[in-house]
Amino acid sequence: MSIRNALFVKPTMYKQECICYIGLMNKSDKMANWPIVKLFFSMGIPAVFSMLIQALYNIVDTIYISQYSQDALFAIGLVTPLQMVGLSIALGGGAGVATLVSRRLGEGEHDEAGNVVATGIILTIIHILAVVLLGIFVTKPFIGLFTDQSAVIKLGYDYLLIVMTICFGQHFAILFERSFQAQGNMLIPMLSQLLGALTNIILDPILIFDFNLGIRGAAIATVAGQILSTLFLLLMLRTKHNELKIHVFKHRFTLDRVGDIYNVGLPTMIMNAIGSFTTIMMNNILIKFSTEAVSSLSIYFKVQSFFFMPVFGFSQGAMPILSYNYGANNRKRFLMTLLTYLISAVAIMSLGTIAFRFYPQIVLSFFEMDDVLRPVATEALRTISICFVFAAVSIVMTTMLQSFGRGTLSMLQSILRQIVVLIPVAYLLSRFGVLGYVWYAYPIAEILVMLLYIPISIKTYHNHFID
């Protein structure tokens, strides 16, 4: 199947695949019979916990790096987009493998499901080599696009070179976590992420300060956590928790299987890479004001994850329920799931808005800041958080569209919000010469795209349900 066909997949085809996937996860038929609220939270809470662990994983480095030096914090803000490109490749590969494994298990083809993971391992090795080359040859020129400060360039290079050249732990951890999730096992991936996060938290202060490795210590702590997660997952693959038989060297490598993996994986890579491109463009706008503006955006993205990640976690719980009820043409349970998810997402984001708008000093208290950076970061948090509730509505709509198999619409929504609206609006606001105006580009983009997609989502809903 071509990528275009994967994006424009027919609803009837998607219904069949959803039913196969749910059949794998749910032998007790709880999808059809459990009360929706109970079902939603039983499936969503483990995913939310995993997402919160990931948020913790992301923020720990930044907290300790801010305590090390402001130059190091600025450097992290500059290199994050390139680091996210590597992560996007890993996430795309993992998503492609997980989807195909779920489909094959649902069809009863257990041997082929194991072959999919084996193919995924080979592709992951290729992805790792690509990221390593990117880290070696692109890092310094990339940082040089935004600053000519030799100290900052060196700090960013030291961090990113380690993270990108020793990225095998991250890539394999994501691949194996998705493989377990494809089997309906949410516990093993959660434990893997917890192990990695705790390793990172413990090693960060030891390596950064006690061993005086500075920003390189933060990078080593990060990759150590990823490697330990991978080792744990490899151990779990050899236990009863894994029903797949994976033979990397014995299976037959086929281009058809590779194509099936990338049909889902490539759009996922693109979706995640859009955020990296957006951050690069925003950094290019913000650096004209000050280094503190770039650092503030970096800090914002770290702390906002504590509210966005739970919403994405509940999306993982809502998606299979929505897909199941779409396949069963059960409008009532579909709408009840959608409403439960919407209320939960809006409630979480409302708490985030309150925290960022009225208590930014508490949110920022974990970071070491000078008297110049603190007011800039405070204004950024207060202004950007206006968009949180609107973003929650957009995320729910995206989840609904994906449950219908409308990947193109959800991708366009992301492109509109992050590239078509956000970047031009931020640039135009920057022309006034006031940094505070630029932060308003985020709520403007969220509100405009939400208003545009509400009627689109409603029409899509009515087009996909049979009365």
Side-chain angles (χ1 to χ4, degrees):
M1 185 187 294
S2 67
I3 292 175
R4 182 181 182 278
N5 289 337
L7 294 176
F8 291 90
V9 62
K10 294 181 180 180
T12 52
M13 184 188 303
Y14 191 78
K15 287 183 183 182
Q16 293 170 356
E17 292 181 1
C18 290
I19 292 173
C20 290
Y21 178 68
I22 300 306
L24 163 68
M25 291 184 63
N26 215 337
K27 297 177 181 178
S28 63
D29 201 26
K30 67 179 181 181
M31 285 287 188
N33 299 313
W34 277 26
I36 287 296
V37 174
K38 177 183 177 182
L39 179 61
F40 174 81
F41 286 106
S42 71
M43 296 191 65
I45 287 176
V48 168
F49 189 68
S50 293
M51 287 293 187
L52 285 173
I53 293 171
Q54 187 62 45
L56 183 65
Y57 200 88
N58 291 336
I59 200 172
V60 165
D61 276 354
T62 307
I63 291 175
Y64 285 117
I65 287 169
S66 71
Q67 296 172 359
Y68 178 69
S69 79
Q70 297 296 295
D71 280 348
L73 184 62
F74 175 46
I76 289 294
L78 293 180
V79 302
T80 294
L82 195 57
Q83 184 181 357
M84 291 303 296
V85 170
L87 177 60
S88 299
I89 295 173
L91 290 172
V97 169
T99 301
L100 195 55
V101 168
S102 296
R103 191 187 309 163
R104 295 295 178 255
L105 288 175
E107 295 166 351
E109 299 182 12
H110 284 61
D111 289 341
E112 176 58 20
N115 290 336
V116 171
V117 178
T119 300
I121 291 173
I122 296 173
L123 294 178
T124 297
I125 294 172
I126 297 172
H127 296 163
I128 290 168
L129 292 175
V131 174
V132 169
L133 292 174
L134 195 67
I136 293 173
F137 295 107
V138 178
T139 299
K140 271 191 177 179
F142 177 79
I143 303 172
L145 293 174
F146 304 99
T147 182
D148 57 0
Q149 299 178 43
S150 58
V152 172
I153 292 175
K154 184 179 186 307
L155 286 167
Y157 180 75
D158 287 345
Y159 180 84
L160 202 55
L161 187 66
I162 293 172
V163 169
M164 295 191 72
T165 57
I166 313 178
C167 64
F168 67 91
Q170 179 185 60
H171 283 251
F172 280 119
I174 290 174
L175 173 68
F176 296 143
E177 284 171 2
R178 298 302 183 270
S179 299
F180 277 107
Q181 289 173 349
Q183 300 173 59
N185 189 325
M186 303 295 288
L187 178 62
I188 298 300
M190 184 178 70
L191 292 176
S192 167
Q193 292 183 21
L194 181 60
L195 181 62
L198 290 176
T199 301
N200 193 24
I201 292 170
I202 293 170
L203 290 181
D204 256 331
I206 296 173
L207 296 177
I208 293 173
F209 302 108
D210 295 345
F211 283 80
N212 199 30
L213 292 176
I215 200 168
R216 289 176 296 167
I220 294 170
T222 296
V223 299
Q226 295 165 352
I227 292 171
L228 198 58
S229 292
T230 295
L231 293 176
F232 169 76
L233 290 164
L234 284 172
L235 179 63
M236 291 299 101
L237 284 173
R238 300 179 63 86
T239 68
K240 63 180 181 180
H241 298 288
N242 174 49
E243 61 179 281
L244 303 178
K245 295 180 179 179
I246 305 169
H247 303 288
V248 177
F249 300 106
K250 294 181 180 180
H251 90 292
R252 182 169 171 265
F253 187 87
T254 66
L255 292 180
D256 286 343
R257 193 183 300 122
V258 172
D260 287 339
I261 290 173
Y262 280 126
N263 279 341
V264 174
L266 191 58
T268 303
M269 291 179 192
I270 294 171
M271 288 281 287
N272 283 281
I274 287 172
S276 299
F277 174 78
T278 302
T279 304
I280 292 171
M281 298 303 294
M282 286 300 297
N283 282 346
N284 192 47
I285 293 171
L286 294 172
I287 193 63
K288 296 173 183 176
F289 288 94
S290 66
T291 60
E292 287 78 16
V294 175
S295 296
S296 295
L297 186 64
S298 176
I299 291 171
Y300 161 75
F301 278 124
K302 301 297 183 180
V303 295
Q304 60 93 16
S305 62
F306 278 102
F307 296 100
F308 275 85
M309 287 297 192
V311 175
F312 287 124
F314 277 128
S315 175
Q316 292 184 17
M319 177 73 76
I321 307 174
L322 291 170
S323 299
Y324 180 91
N325 286 292
Y326 165 50
N329 196 38
N330 192 326
R331 183 192 297 262
K332 182 178 179 181
R333 286 177 66 84
F334 185 96
L335 285 176
M336 186 62 183
T337 304
L338 199 65
L339 181 62
T340 304
Y341 181 29
L342 179 63
I343 292 172
S344 301
V346 169
I348 292 169
M349 288 302 207
S350 296
L351 291 174
T353 301
I354 293 170
F356 281 36
R357 288 283 296 174
F358 301 108
Y359 305 101
Q361 66 278 7
I362 297 177
V363 177
L364 297 174
S365 63
F366 297 99
F367 301 91
E368 191 69 32
M369 299 183 184
D370 57 30
D371 293 337
V372 179
L373 176 57
R374 187 170 297 278
V376 177
T378 298
E379 184 178 29
L381 263 61
R382 282 178 169 160
T383 304
I384 299 176
S385 63
I386 296 172
C387 77
F388 279 13
V389 171
F390 306 105
V393 177
S394 291
I395 294 169
V396 172
M397 288 190 292
T398 297
T399 304
M400 186 194 75
L401 293 172
Q402 291 175 343
S403 74
F404 288 140
R406 301 302 300 270
T408 305
L409 276 176
S410 60
M411 181 183 293
L412 287 175
Q413 184 183 19
S414 182
I415 293 173
L416 280 173
R417 183 176 65 253
Q418 298 190 64
I419 297 179
V420 177
V421 180
L422 176 63
I423 299 302
V425 170
Y427 174 75
L428 291 174
L429 292 175
S430 72
R431 302 299 292 173
F432 289 96
V434 180
L435 174 60
Y437 292 175
V438 179
W439 305 127
Y440 282 97
Y442 284 93
I444 289 172
E446 289 290 356
I447 292 170
L448 287 178
V449 174
M450 183 201 72
L451 292 175
L452 174 64
Y453 259 76
I454 285 176
I456 292 174
S457 298
I458 293 173
K459 182 178 180 181
T460 303
Y461 164 79
H462 286 296
N463 288 342
H464 282 75
F465 269 101
I466 302 172
D467 292 321

